[in-house]
Amino acid sequence: METKKRTEIAALGQFGLIDRLTHGFSPKNPSTLRGVGDDAAVIAPPAGEELLCSTDSFFEGVDFDLTYFPLKHLGYKVVTAGVSDILAMNARPSQIVLSLGVSAKLPVEALDDLYEGVRFACDELGVDLAGGDTRASMTGLAVTVTTLGHAPKERIVYRSGARLHDLICITGNLGAAFMGLRLLEREKRVLSDVTNPEPQFKGYEYLLEKYLKPRPRTDILDALAEEGIVPTAMIDLTDGLAGDLMQLCKASSCGARIYLERIPIAQQTSALCEEMHADPVVAALNGGEDYELLFTVPLSMQEQVMRLGLVDVIGHITPDPTGCFLVTPDGQEIALKAQGFPEK
Amino acid sequence: METKKRTEIAALGQFGLIDRLTHGFSPKNPSTLRGVGDDAAVIAPPAGEELLCSTDSFFEGVDFDLTYFPLKHLGYKVVTAGVSDILAMNARPSQIVLSLGVSAKLPVEALDDLYEGVRFACDELGVDLAGGDTRASMTGLAVTVTTLGHAPKERIVYRSGARLHDLICITGNLGAAFMGLRLLEREKRVLSDVTNPEPQFKGYEYLLEKYLKPRPRTDILDALAEEGIVPTAMIDLTDGLAGDLMQLCKASSCGARIYLERIPIAQQTSALCEEMHADPVVAALNGGEDYELLFTVPLSMQEQVMRLGLVDVIGHITPDPTGCFLVTPDGQEIALKAQGFPEK
């Protein structure tokens, strides 16, 4: 087994630690006037564009388990989560600001790994790390990412713009991240007493990647722009299709009908569901963390949307009092329910 | 004793909780195009101005102890912390975005209190709550505040602009918040076995207020603008005078000499230090959480700065290799040391 160097955080001090972690992050976007190293980052959104800002937190023991979540992937994933929120407004992500709570049990090398993942994601997605805060935490690791982006006002898409008969479109497939998590938890449980555990992931690599290293759908932003499509409403899929669709409908004062057989589910998701006696549709509806996009377009845009080649139309918008329903192949209508607040 | 209603977070669900907490926060700044309730906030900085963004986290058990920290005050204090960072850039704060990690042990009413403090601070300071994220946390309460502000480019002040012979100015007085914390901890210790504890705070109300409900120095921003002063460098005092001055000097590639007898210390700070056999200068140098501002101005501006009536000049900038020193009344020079990263 590889023995890694272990440097205690206390050996560097808070300022030394921040210097080490943020070393080599130099701003690449012209809108980043000042990045890491002052009381605040200074940003100049492109002339005539508005600025977007969102925030997401990840807590150890709730949002990730360090037994099987490599810190490098966690660094990548928090950037994905932030970027995905900005994409969901049909805007371009440009900066992130990272806030860490770290317990002394983590060595500096672990935080190096986290930052390596952050750096990799920033480079790949063209965003700058523009600042942050690193503090002690009594308990587990806590990561909050604030993401900034920009867009011309007329291209910004809210949750509230869906209209009657609009088509409900989603990118990618759903439930894969959730099944990746279930697989990791199963192997952890099974191997908890084993000295040199060798978890069995063969055939499910895609599910692990969707959970541990999801990619935000920047390609959709480009494709929509190219086709000249501005969705009427959009949200990113993080809480499961059911909860997120209900959020969009609530903001738009409308209802929705989606069709069970149209919900895209990856082959590996179905296979693992069968193995674990789970329902893939439940994984899609309530699993969450897909980081795909759900958006609505007017019925008249059906052809244009299909031309994207990246999207499935899974249903349509109904009048307000109807509520949100899943229609089964035999015509049954099941009212959707949002997942509850996790109790710990 | 008052019996408060206790509603479990799980009874509302995540979306219900967010709705309840953010209810009634409507944007007041014209730059807030869209606040709470979408994937991201939408901000339009005033034409010709740059946008500033900073982030701060507070963790239960490290940054606050809920035994004696009322949640209403905590809500106020996190806004102060965020706003203070923006002021330290000589900019106007305009929006905050709040990210909460909450454990199920807190009832909804506790979070109502937290948000009441946030609302009070937002109203007082003229900033909008423009978004947020609320998630479960396995352990304690975690609050991250992201603050946005704006300023014309030529008025933004960085840490890096201090020049040789510049005067080092600070607002208010130092060490009071730290002694407020020590007082609260003493009473908690003393009264840990008592059934109806009645802590003794008489005569030290100012210290408690500086720790529990500090006000950011928005008045300084106005005063500097009115006098036409743009500091050469600025930082807010959150880690203690020593650490923060060293940060500013490092960013400006310079040294500093400050004079012990010029460090402003409030009467209550001195009195409690005497009672607890503590050194008020150590409280000022290393205590932190003062939320005062430290800034530098050219020597030629001494008169103008004194006219503000809000500031003490405590020393001056020296050449780089000199380092940062505290000069005692008998002429001794003591090298300053930054406080270490707290080990937990």
Side-chain angles (χ1 to χ4, degrees), chain A residues 14-15 19 38-39 41 43-44 50-53 55 57 63 97 99 133 135 146 159 236 247 250 341, chain B residues 14-15 19 38-39 41 43-44 50-53 55 57 63 97 99 133 135 146 159 236 247 250 341:
Chain A
Q14 184 178 5
F15 301 135
D19 279 353
D38 220 303
D39 290 282
I43 315 288
E50 313 301 349
L51 191 123
L52 294 103
C53 175
T55 183
S57 291
D63 301 299
V97 173
S99 188
D133 185 29
R135 306 185 65 76
T146 297
R159 293 180 181 174
D236 74 329
Q247 285 283 306
K250 192 180 161 202
F341 199 74
Chain B
Q14 184 179 5
F15 301 134
D19 278 354
D38 220 303
D39 290 282
I43 315 288
E50 313 300 349
L51 189 125
L52 294 102
C53 175
T55 182
S57 291
D63 300 299
V97 173
S99 187
D133 185 28
R135 304 185 66 75
T146 297
R159 293 180 181 175
D236 75 329
Q247 285 284 306
K250 193 180 159 202
F341 199 76

Side-chain angles (χ1 to χ4, degrees), chain B residues 162-184:
Chain B
R163 294 292 168 262
L164 190 59
H165 307 311
D166 278 1
L167 299 173
I168 299 168
C169 310
I170 56 171
T171 64
N173 61 75
L174 303 182
F178 179 69
M179 292 312 294
L181 168 61
R182 288 204 52 187
L183 179 63
L184 286 162

Side-chain angles (χ1 to χ4, degrees), chain A residues 3 5 7 18 29 38 40 58 69-70 105 124 139 147 226 249 251 277 284 288 300 330 341:
Chain A
T3 314
K5 192 166 172 256
T7 311
I18 294 174
N29 280 309
D38 220 303
F58 291 81
F69 212 126
K105 75 170 191 224
E124 193 175 276
T139 46
T147 315
E226 220 163 277
C249 285
H277 308 291
S300 59
D330 59 0
F341 199 74

Side-chain angles (χ1 to χ4, degrees), chain B residues 68-84:
Chain B
Y68 54 69
F69 212 125
L71 278 161
K72 211 176 286 184
H73 289 162
L74 183 66
Y76 189 95
K77 186 169 177 170
V78 301
V79 181
T80 288
V83 162
S84 187

Side-chain angles (χ1 to χ4, degrees), chain B residues 166-174 235 237 240-242 244-246 249 256-265 281 284-285 292-297 302 305-306 310-318 325-328 336:
Chain B
D166 278 1
L167 299 173
I168 299 168
C169 310
I170 56 171
T171 64
N173 61 75
L174 303 182
I235 189 170
L237 290 163
L241 175 58
D244 291 325
L245 177 61
M246 289 171 76
C249 285
R257 199 172 279 130
I258 57 172
Y259 297 88
L260 191 146
E261 78 277 15
R262 295 210 197 151
I263 296 173
I265 287 168
V281 175
L285 289 174
E292 299 291 345
L293 295 169
L294 182 156
F295 62 88
T296 55
V297 293
Q302 179 149 25
V305 160
M306 297 314 293
L310 296 162
V311 160
D312 281 292
V313 175
I314 62 162
H316 56 264
I317 296 296
T318 59
F325 292 94
L326 178 72
V327 185
T328 64
L336 292 179

Side-chain angles (χ1 to χ4, degrees), chain B residues 73-291:
Chain B
H73 289 162
L74 183 66
Y76 189 95
K77 186 169 177 170
V78 301
V79 181
T80 288
V83 162
S84 187
D85 275 333
I86 302 298
L87 297 175
M89 306 295 288
N90 202 32
R92 301 234 162 247
S94 45
Q95 289 87 15
I96 63 160
V97 173
L98 215 57
S99 187
L100 292 189
V102 295
S103 58
K105 77 171 190 221
L106 280 183
V108 174
E109 286 74 13
L111 299 179
D112 286 341
D113 284 349
L114 179 78
Y115 266 78
E116 198 181 320
V118 168
R119 187 186 309 254
F120 188 83
C122 283
D123 285 348
E124 194 175 277
L125 302 167
V127 302
D128 291 328
L129 179 75
D133 185 28
T134 301
R135 304 185 66 75
S137 128
M138 269 300 265
T139 46
L141 178 63
V143 187
T144 298
V145 60
T146 297
T147 315
L148 301 174
H150 53 84
K153 198 172 181 175
E154 66 279 7
R155 290 199 66 86
I156 296 175
V157 176
Y158 296 94
R159 293 180 181 175
S160 53
R163 294 292 168 262
L164 190 59
H165 307 311
D166 278 1
L167 299 173
I168 299 168
C169 310
I170 56 171
T171 64
N173 61 75
L174 303 182
F178 179 69
M179 292 312 294
L181 168 61
R182 288 204 52 187
L183 179 63
L184 286 162
E185 285 186 338
R186 181 184 76 180
E187 295 301 303
K188 181 188 170 184
R189 220 165 35 238
V190 170
L191 300 172
S192 59
D193 302 327
V194 179
T195 316
N196 285 312
E198 285 185 28
Q200 296 300 315
F201 296 138
K202 207 168 146 44
Y204 297 126
E205 293 79 3
Y206 173 71
L207 305 184
L208 294 187
E209 192 178 334
K210 276 294 273 187
Y211 178 67
L212 295 174
K213 204 193 156 208
R215 276 152 197 272
R217 300 304 306 252
T218 38
D219 56 331
I220 299 293
L221 199 72
D222 297 333
L224 289 173
E226 220 163 275
E227 275 290 330
I229 301 172
V230 178
T232 49
M234 185 145 59
I235 189 170
D236 75 329
L237 290 163
T238 52
D239 292 315
L241 175 58
D244 291 325
L245 177 61
M246 289 171 76
Q247 285 284 306
L248 184 141
C249 285
K250 193 180 159 202
S252 296
S253 306
C254 64
R257 199 172 279 130
I258 57 172
Y259 297 88
L260 191 146
E261 78 277 15
R262 295 210 197 151
I263 296 173
I265 287 168
Q267 191 275 327
Q268 289 191 4
T269 308
S270 306
L272 184 60
C273 280
E274 206 182 314
E275 194 184 315
M276 293 181 83
H277 309 290
D279 183 344
V281 175
V282 172
L285 289 174
N286 298 326
E289 298 209 84
D290 297 302
Y291 298 110

Side-chain angles (χ1 to χ4, degrees), chain A residues 271-293:
Chain A
L272 184 59
C273 280
E274 205 181 316
E275 194 185 317
M276 294 181 80
H277 308 291
D279 183 344
V281 175
V282 172
L285 289 174
N286 297 327
E289 298 210 86
D290 297 303
Y291 297 112
E292 298 291 344
L293 295 169

